[in-house]
Amino acid sequence: MMSADIAVYGLGVMGRNIALNMADQGHHVAVYNHTTSRVDNFLSFTTKEQQITACYDIEQMIESLALPRTIFLMVTAGKVVDQVIDSLIPHLAPGDIIIDGGNSHYQDTERRWKSLKQRGFRFLGLGISGGEEGARQGPSIMPGGDPEAWPFVESLFQSIAAKADDGQACCRWVGEGGAGHYVKMVHNGIEYGDMQLIAEAWHLMRDGLGLAADDLADIFSQWNQGTLSSYLIEITADILRVRDPDGSTRVENILDAAGQKGTGRWTAIDSLQLGVPLTLICESVYARALSSMKDERRIAAQKLGGRPEAKSEKKEALLPAIEHALYAAKIISYTQGFMQMREAAKEYDWNLEFGNIALLWRAGCIIRSRFLNDIKQAYEKKPDLKNLLLDDFFAEAIQIADQGLRDTVAFGIQQAIPLPTMCAALAFYDGYRSAVLPANLLQAQRDYFGAHTYKRLNDPSNKTYHTHWTSDKNEESIDD
């Protein structure tokens, strides 16, 4: 029997579908799972045309592989990845390649890459987005880790990746170490933001304008034909059309307490560590946390009162405003995400090509949208672009949508409908385009109670000053 090109270790839904995807593309795939019944179950999904080697122990899996041996891990992120790697190492030889395709934290990937490199092994960390369907039909793949390992598997992973409308594979080298999983983390953060923005628009139209589910589904379908065209807008329209047996809308019967697996929270924490104002994405994480307080919210609704009745007479005027608000806030969400990746590239010495990252997200992944072509073009025109809002296209787009965002936020406030991410988008936009902010007062306060010093606008020498606020009010230059 011919040797396998790659082994897939872990046959959960994602691992199973990626292995089948690889086999569909003509690759010889060895498969293994710690629970051997899953191997038998996997075989029931295969066809005679696919080249599959079923393995029931690690030794058999290793022996089935061509050199250099390549093992693709699709196991639970965290300690399990380290445990599996430790179990593989005694059976491998220097130069062999281990790939982690799970949702690992980028710092874990960085650590594993460095540790395995010292021992002569090659390690890749692949960020993969697209869920169950994407894994089977073509996901977005964000590879990082050892640049010497990538050429060995590049054609394989590009063959299974989603293809954009221009035929380009949504799989391209991101950077060494944890760069691939970092970009996937930010992708998930933007995903959190997109989902919350759509939920807020729905909330406004449902409760603020009193629109029925079928009308809302039609609106989202219409939006999906324009600038808001995206996977998440598309599935929202689908969701709103599903009915329970009693005729009620399915989504209305789902408990309003959102779960999270941690990647959005990782993005928010990392933004604080880097000092990046990732306000919209952070608010989307907090919104999920607040939603989980369902029992407490029920009590608070009785104690603190509810909200006024919907004022449906405004719906004709407000629908275009809400569409503009969603578009403007989406621009801010991506702007902040790319700001974070730009800062991370400097902090971790990664050569991130932001146009390529936008390309990776154009198909296959959860945040795929028409919008990403505009981001790709912005970075193609100016690879060193500091901020998406400084690109001519996005500057004009957000100025056109500006009033709609303001009207939408104002309506939400008047109706007592919480809009954490839309409000965060507007506040960031107004702050970013303000030549003067009240931070001078903050700095004076810091100097007053903690002698933290400050600089003066009218001193081109950039000297540092301190005022004796509680005594003679005199100012001294710390640099003299």
Side-chain angles (χ1 to χ4, degrees), residues 123-195:
F123 182 76
L124 294 171
L126 270 59
I128 298 178
S129 177
E132 180 179 350
E133 180 182 354
R136 187 68 183 90
Q137 305 299 331
S140 168
I141 303 175
M142 294 150 263
D146 190 335
E148 295 181 2
W150 181 238
F152 289 94
V153 296
E154 179 178 5
S155 61
L156 185 154
F157 283 103
Q158 288 194 339
S159 74
I160 71 166
K163 307 299 185 293
D165 291 339
D166 58 7
Q168 294 188 67
C170 294
C171 172
R172 189 170 294 192
W173 181 250
V174 173
E176 65 180 21
H181 273 129
Y182 189 93
V183 169
K184 172 64 188 332
M185 178 188 77
V186 174
H187 164 284
N188 283 25
I190 294 172
E191 178 186 312
Y192 272 54
D194 266 7
M195 293 172 71

Side-chain angles (χ1 to χ4, degrees), residues 220-351:
F220 279 105
S221 292
Q222 180 183 348
W223 286 354
N224 196 45
Q225 304 306 310
T227 55
L228 288 171
S229 175
S230 69
Y231 172 71
L232 287 170
I233 292 287
E234 178 186 352
I235 68 170
T236 299
D238 289 345
I239 288 167
L240 294 175
R241 297 190 194 280
V242 176
R243 296 287 189 272
D244 272 351
D246 63 0
S248 61
T249 308
R250 174 73 51 81
V251 71
E252 299 289 2
N253 296 320
I254 295 175
L255 179 68
D256 55 319
Q260 52 182 309
K261 291 187 175 180
T263 48
R265 186 164 59 245
W266 291 349
T267 313
I269 292 170
D270 194 73
S271 74
L272 292 171
Q273 293 172 334
L274 292 176
V276 177
L278 200 75
T279 54
L280 190 154
I281 291 171
C282 288
E283 284 293 347
S284 71
V285 176
Y286 295 142
R288 292 196 187 193
L290 182 60
S291 78
S292 70
M293 301 166 63
K294 177 65 175 179
D295 292 340
E296 196 168 335
R297 287 190 290 112
R298 283 195 181 106
I299 296 170
Q302 293 179 345
K303 181 74 174 179
L304 303 175
R307 50 169 304 279
E309 292 297 319
K311 297 182 179 180
S312 58
E313 69 273 8
K314 291 186 176 183
K315 65 182 175 183
E316 295 301 326
L318 274 168
L319 283 177
I322 295 171
E323 182 179 7
H324 278 141
L326 190 52
Y327 185 53
K330 187 181 179 76
I331 290 174
I332 297 300
S333 180
Y334 281 76
T335 293
Q336 292 182 357
F338 276 84
M339 284 172 61
Q340 179 157 347
M341 289 189 291
R342 182 181 180 86
E343 194 61 34
K346 292 188 290 186
E347 179 72 17
Y348 306 123
D349 196 27
W350 292 331
N351 182 28

Side-chain angles (χ1 to χ4, degrees), residues 427-442 457-458:
F428 173 86
Y429 175 57
D430 286 339
Y432 184 71
R433 68 195 185 111
S434 294
V436 177
L437 288 170
N440 46 348
L441 178 57
L442 297 179
L457 284 170
N458 58 357

